[in-house]
Amino acid sequence: MNRTITGEVDVRRPVEVVFAYVADQRNEPRYNPQMLWAEKVTPGPIGVGTRFHQQMRMPGRGGRMGSQLIGFDPPASLALRSHLTWMDTVGTLTFAAAGDGTRLSWDWQVRFRGPARLLTPLLLAVGRRQERTTWEGLRRHLEEPGT
């Protein structure tokens, strides 16, 4: 079964701006309504090895997430590994010039654990929809005047 979540969105902002904004995951609650908060938990500048803790809008404690940057190539790509109690995700965000803006692409490999494995097709469908919503939210947020 295909356990990938992929897509792309065009953002009318320069590649460097989009990359820097996305790389700092503390910004995600500003454009993702499912993200309640995010904090950077490692010292120093953002780069390979930087870890974040986040809280997603989900019932119970299932929304606590940890993520780590495992690849960092400004302003072209970010590779991330994320962990929830019931799911692991590894993937890449790529940033490419597209006209006067940026084409942001995502490619996630998802692995469900425990009882969630039984719901894989449903959870992948929900995840694909949620990723589209998240990155469209980023596009709207960054294209607002004054952002």
Side-chain angles (χ1 to χ4, degrees):
M1 171 183 285
N2 179 359
R3 291 183 171 85
T4 62
I5 296 176
T6 61
E8 63 185 29
V9 65
D10 290 342
V11 181
R12 289 187 311 263
R13 293 295 298 272
V15 172
E16 296 80 10
V17 170
V18 178
F19 178 91
Y21 201 79
V22 172
D24 188 344
Q25 293 180 28
R26 293 171 293 188
N27 291 320
E28 190 167 347
R30 295 180 179 144
Y31 59 85
N32 179 355
Q34 295 303 312
M35 182 74 64
L36 297 173
W37 55 263
E39 64 181 349
K40 183 173 169 276
V41 296
T42 51
I46 294 172
V48 171
T50 301
R51 290 182 301 117
F52 296 88
H53 288 166
Q54 299 100 335
Q55 178 68 41
M56 302 293 294
R57 189 179 310 278
M58 293 180 182
R61 296 179 51 85
R64 254 324 244 223
M65 183 169 72
S67 61
Q68 181 175 19
L69 291 174
I70 57 174
F72 188 78
D73 182 21
S77 67
L78 293 169
L80 298 110
R81 177 178 34 233
S82 299
H83 171 79
L84 286 150
T85 57
W86 51 276
M87 176 181 77
D88 291 311
T89 305
V90 176
T92 305
L93 296 168
T94 57
F95 306 80
D100 63 348
T102 302
R103 174 155 300 140
L104 167 61
S105 303
W106 57 92
D107 186 351
W108 305 120
Q109 301 299 313
V110 182
R111 185 174 66 91
F112 298 103
R113 289 195 310 280
R117 287 188 319 227
L118 301 173
L119 301 172
T120 295
L122 173 65
L123 293 173
L124 283 171
V126 169
R128 289 180 180 118
R129 211 169 26 253
Q130 179 58 44
E131 281 301 297
R132 167 72 50 200
T133 299
T134 296
W135 301 117
E136 286 290 338
L138 173 77
R139 180 190 59 74
R140 284 189 305 276
H141 177 71
L142 288 180
E143 290 179 358
E144 287 176 1
T147 304

